[in-house]
Amino acid sequence: MGKPVILLMKDIYYPIVAALGVLVNLVTIMILSRRNCGLSKCISVYMVAMATADLLVLIINVIVYRIFSYQFPLSFLSYTPVCRVIIYLCTVTFDLSVWFTVSFTFDRFVAICFERFKTRYCTERTAGVVITVFCLLSFLKNIRFLFAYEPQQIINKVQWGCWASVEFFSSPLGTAWVWFHSAWLVWLPFTLIVSLNCSTIGRILVSNRTRRKLQGNRSENRSDSEMENRRKSIILLFTVSGSFILFWLTAAMSFVPTGLTNTNYYRGDLMAPRYIAAETGTCLKFLSCIQNPCIYVATQRKFRAELKNVLKSLWTLILRLVGKCG
């Protein structure tokens, strides 16, 4: 009997996503770190943090866990202690990717809705503090993952693989922990992003209406630079947060019936609808790690210009290397 279709799809999908995602996020980090894109220092810090978190998700979750650990089941990565650490890091990196997006959304909400407070909050220093706090929270909150999995098998007294501990996950404490993790990783970020964006939209509509009344007919034919800058900022905000929700929606819906036990070796029917839904949601989550560079290219003119310069430099370097080798 051949491999189930879902497994064949993952064998093709994960290497493509990993190769493409690592490349585009590395380039994005390099471009944003140069700070020639016309963005404020605060926004640049959040965008670099999001790209770094997405890069770590692709390296640890996709390359190490989904490809190497799966393709080489008896390698060093499959020792139970190592496997537990990998699962722990997988969860930490997902946490960072999600909450850096929420932090960016909140920063833009403050910048647009609270003119007085934004001078104190929307700074490079505050962005650094927020990112550091979420890093510490993620590392501490997910420590339980190091003890929530048991060996899949024992060969010559050596523990191999990781299975979700049925004893723990079926206990009242385990159930409560699963729901807390679900709320922290999915439902709370969703709620915050939607609420913040709705409040931001309302503020923008009121502000634009008031601004047009104040300007009157005197500036009908003149461009408003402030409104244009605000428009670009809003496009960036909504495309980043909106696409994040879109890619995570399937995973959010499938998380309730499957819980955390599907984060590792699944013991049931690989053709079951709930398993296919969970795996489809996981695939879309990884695809979300490639979305932001595409959004920057589509919405940021200076980012496109910097990308062209990087590509030209790489092409020139390749030609020089080929010339030397020839």
Side-chain angles (χ1 to χ4, degrees):
M1 186 176 178
K3 254 187 179 183
V5 175
I6 188 69
L7 297 184
L8 291 174
M9 183 195 75
K10 292 195 297 183
D11 288 344
I12 299 172
Y13 177 80
Y14 287 139
I16 294 175
V17 168
L20 181 60
V22 169
L23 176 61
V24 297
N25 279 292
L26 281 174
V27 173
T28 299
I29 292 170
M30 181 173 64
I31 292 175
L32 293 174
S33 298
R34 297 168 66 178
R35 298 190 175 180
N36 294 328
C37 297
L39 300 168
S40 68
K41 293 181 179 180
C42 176
I43 295 179
S44 296
V45 169
Y46 282 116
M47 291 170 69
V48 169
M50 288 190 293
T52 303
D54 288 341
L55 178 63
L56 292 174
V57 168
L58 291 166
I59 291 174
I60 297 174
N61 284 262
V62 180
I63 296 177
V64 174
Y65 181 62
R66 302 275 170 173
I67 297 178
F68 288 164
S69 294
Y70 177 76
Q71 296 296 338
F72 306 100
L74 295 179
S75 67
F76 168 76
L77 298 175
S78 295
Y79 287 132
T80 299
V82 177
C83 179
R84 285 171 176 160
V85 172
I86 292 174
I87 293 175
Y88 167 71
L89 293 177
C90 285
T91 312
V92 168
T93 53
F94 260 137
D95 256 16
L96 296 180
S97 179
V98 169
W99 282 97
F100 287 169
T101 302
V102 176
S103 301
F104 170 74
T105 304
F106 182 75
D107 178 86
R108 294 299 85 199
F109 164 75
V110 171
I112 293 169
C113 298
F114 299 94
E115 293 289 335
R116 295 180 180 178
F117 183 54
K118 79 174 184 179
T119 56
R120 288 181 293 172
Y121 183 84
C122 301
T123 63
E124 184 178 15
R125 181 178 179 277
T126 300
V129 171
V130 170
I131 290 168
T132 302
V133 168
F134 276 116
C135 286
L136 293 174
L137 284 176
S138 295
F139 277 103
L140 292 174
K141 180 186 75 70
N142 293 299
I143 287 178
R144 190 66 186 85
F145 273 97
L146 295 171
F147 311 99
Y149 290 83
E150 59 190 21
Q152 185 183 12
Q153 56 184 331
I154 300 176
I155 303 175
N156 296 328
K157 298 183 180 180
V158 178
Q159 297 179 344
W160 292 91
C162 295
W163 259 349
S165 173
V166 176
E167 181 181 355
F168 171 73
F169 284 106
S170 60
S171 67
L173 177 61
T175 302
W177 187 66
V178 167
W179 281 104
F180 168 75
H181 181 80
S182 173
W184 175 267
L185 188 61
V186 180
W187 301 114
L188 182 57
F190 267 41
T191 303
L192 287 174
I193 288 175
V194 172
S195 300
L196 293 173
N197 281 346
C198 288
S199 299
T200 303
I201 292 173
R203 175 68 176 183
I204 291 169
L205 292 176
V206 172
S207 178
N208 287 350
R209 196 179 301 120
T210 303
R211 191 173 184 83
R212 290 193 187 98
K213 289 181 180 179
L214 292 175
Q215 288 177 334
N217 297 325
R218 292 175 301 172
S219 41
E220 283 183 355
N221 298 321
R222 291 187 298 177
S223 62
D224 191 327
S225 59
E226 182 176 337
M227 291 186 68
E228 180 64 19
N229 291 334
R230 181 178 293 178
R231 184 184 70 84
K232 292 179 179 179
S233 179
I234 291 306
I235 290 175
L236 178 61
L237 168 63
F238 288 169
T239 49
V240 169
S241 56
S243 58
F244 167 81
I245 291 177
L246 181 64
F247 282 122
W248 273 77
L249 192 58
T250 303
M253 294 296 102
S254 64
F255 193 93
V256 174
T258 59
L260 291 178
T261 54
N262 263 335
T263 58
N264 210 336
Y265 299 96
Y266 182 68
R267 309 184 195 186
D269 181 11
L270 296 182
M271 299 301 293
R274 71 171 190 171
Y275 172 75
I276 294 176
E279 289 301 308
T280 302
T282 300
C283 290
L284 290 175
K285 284 192 299 184
F286 292 134
L287 192 59
S288 72
C289 294
I290 308 177
Q291 69 182 5
N292 287 348
C294 299
I295 290 172
Y296 304 154
V297 170
T299 62
Q300 302 296 308
R301 179 179 58 82
K302 291 186 178 181
F303 185 90
R304 290 196 297 271
E306 285 295 307
L307 178 60
K308 290 179 182 178
N309 292 334
V310 170
L311 294 177
K312 287 178 182 177
S313 300
L314 290 175
W315 180 248
T316 302
L317 179 61
I318 292 172
L319 292 178
R320 287 178 180 175
L321 292 175
V322 171
K324 290 181 179 180
C325 294

